[in-house]
Amino acid sequence: MKMNVHITHQISIQPPFETTWIDNPIAYTEPYVRAIDPDFKAYMSAGEARRLGKVLKRALAVSLRCLQESQDTPIDAVITGTGLGSIESTESFLTELCQNGEQLLKPTPFMQSTHNTIGSLVAISTKNHGYNATYAHKSISFQSALYDAWLQFKLRTIQTALVGAHDGLTEAHYELLNQIDYLGSPVVGSEVAMATILSGQDTPQTLPPPMCVVSGIKLLYKPTFEQVQQAVQNMVGEFKPTDAVMMGVNGNPQNDAMYQPYRQTLFANVPCLQYKHVFGECYSAPAMAFYATAHLLQKGNVPAHFVLESLNGALTNVQRILLFEYSTDGNCSIILMGKP
Amino acid sequence: MKLVITGAGIVSAIGIGKEATLQHLQAQKTGIAPVQYLQTAHQDTLVGEVKYANYQLKEQVGIAPTVPMSRTAMLGVLALREALQQAGLPLDAVKDCPLISGTTVGGMDKSEQHYLSFFTESSPAQYIKIHDCGSSTEQMAEQVGGFNMLTTLSTACSSAANAFVLGANMLLTGEAQCVVVGGSECLSKFHLNGFKTLMIVDGDYCKPFDANRAGLNLGEGAAFMVLETEQSAQKRGATILAYLSGYGNACDAHHQTASSPTGDGAYLSMSQAVEMAGLQPADISYVNAHGTGTPNNDPSECAAMSRLFGNQLPPFSSTKGFTGHTTSASGAIELVISLLALQYQFLPVSLHWQTPFDPQYIPVTQSTPAQPLKHVLCNSFGFGGNDTSLILSLV
């Protein structure tokens, strides 16, 4: 089965809704960078913009942008991935609670703190009564959301889905994630809001033609080398000269060591690509691999700055890109994307 | 393809394990009591706590007192073990099973205890690592061993119910033959105070569907089930406890913390579940309602039931008077309760119910069913209108 990727947008540390990152990414060296926000007024009322935290505003804006381009095609499912949910609201409620005790707390930060506030906000704003779910499992949150959609396309219980991934990073939370060595120089801690509109086996005619397709997805926990090899082989078959592998390397030696054995063997003869040098690191970062791949496949060539090891620098005529993530906590995902 | 339940484990205020749970349900004995273990200023608040301190839970899990583990993960381990044991799944077979859990609190119980010291030189960073939802699932998996895939649903109070939906979809698509699904949530000051700011915590025992209901009592716990294809169960020679015959997920899309008066999301999730099971609404023998006891939830859920069932409502009750509202775990906890109701052919009563808020809507107060129970529908509704319904059917 193939899942079609029709539209995908981002708000991140690159200019919002733009694809200038393909040829001219903004380069960062700071360990903590906040997203570049669009003008939210185009997507929500001033009241809403005041009331909502940043993660929610970005999620709403990027989702609505995708929906605007979907020409009112009915969306059967809203599926969201987020590692930490509305971290600003959680932090605000938690700080008040710990500093001032259990009194005079305000309800709004609590209401906005649950992870599913993001997906619900999108549903409430668009009056969408369809399937709605949220995954919160570190850096496999987005892939879980995508997998959920994949299964339902396979079962034909849905025709279309809006899948998104959203994570913000406050200064305080950066400090905490630095302490546990998830973030910290040379890794660029970042923020991500990403959404995509997908269809399955029964694509509505109203959707724009697909940018690319997803033809396989597998989630694994602490797989052995052989299990990864098997999963890749089942999905890809033999690697072709027009293939590439995009992976979650980020400059942190511990993180990158997870990929090393695969780069040396399984992926030794295929160009390996990076994306976190453009979009940074956060639990929703793997969504940016998906987003970037969709745009790169549509374009057909991959600029040299993405390529980790290549004999020729930039890649042309790329037909398939395998997304490979294996984080130090043992969560692994393998997703095959290709030209339609 | 039929999906079957072959194992179930449960931990809540009414005990660890199905046996203690069944005893409390049949004896109509609540587990709700004034706060005893949670370190909170709200000492008079009635809650459904699991009656063990963290150090006692650590003993039961079998870890040293110094090992950092959230209460969410510990409760989950106990429920998981019971489910796997009943299903007769050896570790070798668990290696090929995904574990799908639902939680929202995750390790918040530890974060709220250590949050300010995280920003000092003696930061207990080991607790930062276990703060998020996914970590609690990973900790459970590590303790139990095995599992080839992990993920975590977080749709507030329907989280665990949605773990069943994903797991079932994996079975129906042939992505797995056997999955372990459920959820876990411990009490935290964070959400106790959160619910208090929303003014939906009853100072007295919660009274779902009562005219004088004034909110919920929070609870905690965990429940997991082994869900597999009928073929997989038969091949292993496992005893089939019940079928998961239908499920539905829909969004109320009305408000972040309130249900629509017409119960749109609830009506949709229940109808989808009934349709998927190939049943008529009249075939449903009992509804384990979400029934939080908040002024808003109960009439909304009743409106939805009326839309689906017409004038002939099946017997319905809320078991939150026993366990308290176990939030993200409630979908799994109440499904295990529904399973016990099916297996032992009794109707769990709505504790503390006295006065109808509407004469149309009288919950179960007598546990002897008038008709044999065949199909039980279990509702879980979350903030943001994340509504999920599951149906268990007798073998």
Side-chain angles (χ1 to χ4, degrees):
Chain A
M1 191 199 69
K2 286 191 168 81
M3 179 156 79
N4 303 297
V5 182
H6 296 275
I7 302 162
T8 179
H9 282 295
Q10 55 80 24
I11 297 170
S12 70
I13 60 176
Q14 298 297 330
F17 306 122
E18 302 286 333
T19 51
T20 48
W21 52 267
I22 297 178
D23 294 311
N24 298 300
I26 303 175
Y28 296 96
T29 48
E30 306 89 321
Y32 165 46
V33 182
R34 300 211 71 168
I36 306 168
D37 283 323
D39 183 1
F40 289 116
K41 282 203 292 286
Y43 303 95
M44 63 198 79
S45 69
E48 224 169 0
R50 253 196 322 276
R51 191 168 50 79
L52 300 174
K54 284 216 159 150
V55 171
L56 290 173
K57 272 194 283 212
R58 290 173 191 150
L60 187 58
V62 79
S63 304
L64 292 177
R65 176 65 178 252
C66 286
L67 292 169
Q68 281 167 8
E69 290 175 19
S70 73
Q71 301 182 74
D72 295 326
T73 306
I75 298 297
D76 299 330
V78 175
I79 314 176
T80 308
T82 177
L84 295 164
S86 297
I87 184 70
E88 279 177 325
S89 305
T90 306
E91 197 173 279
S92 141
F93 196 77
L94 190 54
T95 306
E96 282 286 315
L97 180 75
C98 294
Q99 283 179 346
N100 306 330
E102 301 172 68
Q103 46 192 316
L104 305 171
L105 291 159
K106 293 176 201 78
T108 307
F110 175 68
M111 279 167 62
Q112 293 190 6
S113 75
T114 52
H115 301 70
N116 66 329
T117 311
I118 302 167
S120 305
L121 175 68
V122 174
I124 293 167
S125 304
T126 57
K127 302 261 176 291
N128 189 313
H129 291 288
Y131 178 91
N132 195 298
T134 299
Y135 292 86
H137 197 119
K138 297 202 247 182
S139 51
I140 205 155
S141 305
F142 167 73
Q143 299 93 308
S144 300
L146 195 68
Y147 185 59
D148 182 329
W150 169 264
L151 298 179
Q152 295 194 70
F153 285 132
K154 230 172 155 176
L155 292 169
R156 292 192 136 122
T157 49
I158 58 170
Q159 293 187 346
T160 56
L162 172 73
V163 174
H166 311 280
D167 269 300
L169 186 61
T170 60
E171 212 171 323
H173 212 79
Y174 166 75
E175 159 63 25
L176 301 189
L177 294 176
N178 187 14
Q179 277 183 40
I180 58 170
D181 296 326
Y182 173 68
L183 294 182
S185 189
V187 177
V188 177
S190 70
E191 303 187 299
V192 158
M194 173 273 188
T196 181
I197 292 191
L198 309 171
S199 76
Q201 306 178 72
D202 318 284
T203 304
Q205 293 305 307
T206 44
L207 285 175
M211 305 166 71
C212 66
V213 296
V214 176
S215 51
I217 173 166
K218 183 99 184 154
L219 311 188
L220 297 162
Y221 180 62
K222 294 196 171 169
T224 59
F225 184 87
E226 288 71 28
Q227 286 169 319
V228 171
Q229 191 174 31
Q230 189 64 55
V232 169
Q233 208 157 45
N234 289 348
M235 212 178 279
V236 177
E238 291 293 311
F239 278 112
K240 297 178 189 136
T242 49
D243 291 340
V245 180
M246 185 176 271
M247 55 184 71
V249 293
N250 66 9
N252 175 335
Q254 272 178 309
N255 173 74
D256 294 357
M258 297 300 293
Y259 298 93
Q260 207 50 42
Y262 298 95
R263 285 176 65 184
Q264 284 165 348
T265 54
L266 199 51
F267 307 139
N269 299 316
V270 56
C272 290
L273 313 177
Q274 58 175 343
Y275 65 93
K276 288 181 180 171
H277 68 299
V278 174
F279 296 107
E281 181 66 284
C282 67
Y283 289 135
S284 284
M288 300 313 289
F290 179 95
Y291 161 87
T293 295
H295 284 279
L296 293 174
L297 282 170
Q298 192 179 33
K299 218 177 156 222
N301 53 38
V302 178
H305 69 91
F306 285 97
V307 185
L308 283 166
E309 306 165 335
S310 167
L311 305 173
N312 306 317
L315 309 177
T316 52
N317 187 29
V318 176
Q319 298 289 318
R320 299 192 301 177
I321 298 179
L322 184 75
L323 310 187
F324 178 62
E325 301 279 341
Y326 199 163
S327 54
T328 51
D329 52 34
N331 292 298
C332 174
S333 63
I334 303 166
I335 298 169
L336 184 62
M337 298 174 73
K339 281 191 166 277
Chain B
M1 186 192 293
K2 281 191 165 178
L3 307 183
V4 304
I5 311 284
T6 54
I10 184 169
V11 176
S12 79
I14 52 175
I16 292 182
K18 294 187 292 292
E19 204 179 306
T21 307
L22 182 65
Q23 275 172 6
H24 280 77
L25 290 169
Q26 292 189 324
Q28 304 188 8
K29 206 171 141 202
T30 184
I32 295 170
V35 175
Q36 194 181 345
Y37 301 99
L38 181 71
Q39 300 294 309
T40 167
H42 305 295
Q43 279 305 316
D44 299 331
T45 305
L46 292 169
V47 289
E49 284 178 304
V50 174
K51 306 292 183 287
Y52 294 94
N54 284 336
Y55 78 90
Q56 292 168 311
L57 288 174
K58 283 190 173 177
E59 282 170 18
Q60 298 214 30
V61 169
I63 53 170
T66 47
V67 174
M69 193 180 281
S70 66
R71 195 171 164 92
T72 298
M74 292 194 285
L75 299 175
V77 169
L78 300 180
L80 257 179
R81 282 186 185 151
E82 188 190 11
L84 295 175
Q85 194 183 12
Q86 184 179 26
L89 269 188
L91 190 60
D92 241 21
V94 179
K95 276 186 190 144
D96 297 326
C97 292
L99 171 64
I100 307 166
S101 183
T103 193
T104 304
V105 168
M108 181 61 87
D109 61 319
K110 292 292 163 201
S111 295
E112 66 190 19
Q113 217 177 317
H114 301 288
Y115 192 66
L116 296 180
S117 48
F118 286 158
F119 300 98
T120 64
E121 280 191 11
S122 54
S123 167
Q126 66 272 27
Y127 293 109
I128 301 171
K129 274 195 173 156
I130 60 165
H131 165 81
D132 73 287
C133 298
S135 297
S136 66
T137 311
E138 288 169 15
Q139 287 196 304
M140 287 184 248
E142 288 308 308
Q143 278 306 312
V144 173
F147 299 114
N148 63 1
M149 170 195 149
L150 305 183
T151 193
T152 309
L153 268 303
S154 193
T155 53
C157 302
S158 58
S159 302
N162 282 324
F164 280 80
V165 174
L166 181 76
N169 284 344
M170 286 185 72
L171 297 176
L172 290 179
T173 49
E175 295 268 323
Q177 272 66 55
C178 180
V179 297
V180 182
V181 291
S184 183
E185 192 120 293
C186 70
L187 277 169
S188 74
K189 277 199 295 191
F190 186 94
H191 73 291
L192 174 63
N193 281 282
F195 279 91
K196 276 186 179 283
T197 63
L198 296 172
M199 320 275 267
I200 51 173
V201 177
D202 197 330
D204 199 352
Y205 288 104
C206 67
K207 298 169 278 294
F209 304 108
D210 192 284
N212 302 311
R213 69 191 184 284
L216 49 82
N217 301 140
L218 278 176
E220 64 180 356
F224 283 91
M225 285 196 189
V226 175
L227 181 65
E228 54 192 312
T229 62
E230 191 171 37
Q231 199 188 6
S232 158
Q234 283 166 348
K235 212 164 113 188
R236 304 196 296 115
T239 306
I240 295 171
L241 307 176
Y243 293 109
L244 178 70
S245 52
Y247 46 90
N249 165 313
C251 190
D252 198 39
H254 173 70
H255 187 270
Q256 285 291 4
T257 56
S259 307
S260 60
T262 40
D264 296 352
Y267 168 70
L268 288 170
S269 68
M270 287 192 288
S271 327
Q272 285 168 16
V274 168
E275 193 192 322
M276 180 181 174
L279 300 173
Q280 293 301 313
D283 297 328
I284 299 296
S285 351
Y286 163 64
V287 178
N288 185 297
H290 187 59
T292 55
T294 59
N296 170 255
N297 174 82
D298 298 0
S300 167
E301 188 169 7
C302 285
M305 284 196 286
S306 285
R307 283 170 72 179
L308 180 63
F309 298 108
N311 294 328
Q312 290 296 313
L313 289 199
F316 68 94
S317 69
S318 164
T319 46
K320 289 184 170 68
F322 289 92
T323 59
H325 186 359
T326 57
T327 49
S328 294
S330 65
I333 284 180
E334 290 164 23
L335 198 67
V336 175
I337 290 175
S338 300
L339 175 68
L340 293 172
L342 263 184
Q343 286 185 300
Y344 295 90
Q345 291 290 309
F346 74 100
L347 295 169
V349 301
S350 253
L351 279 183
H352 314 302
W353 179 88
Q354 283 183 318
T355 320
F357 76 92
D358 181 322
Q360 284 182 81
Y361 304 118
I362 313 288
V364 172
T365 52
Q366 296 294 323
S367 62
T368 311
Q371 305 288 334
L373 301 188
K374 284 185 186 161
H375 306 283
V376 173
L377 186 149
C378 184
N379 280 337
S380 303
F381 307 149
F383 272 4
N386 278 156
D387 297 345
T388 300
S389 303
L390 305 167
I391 298 177
L392 287 185
S393 297
L394 210 57
V395 176

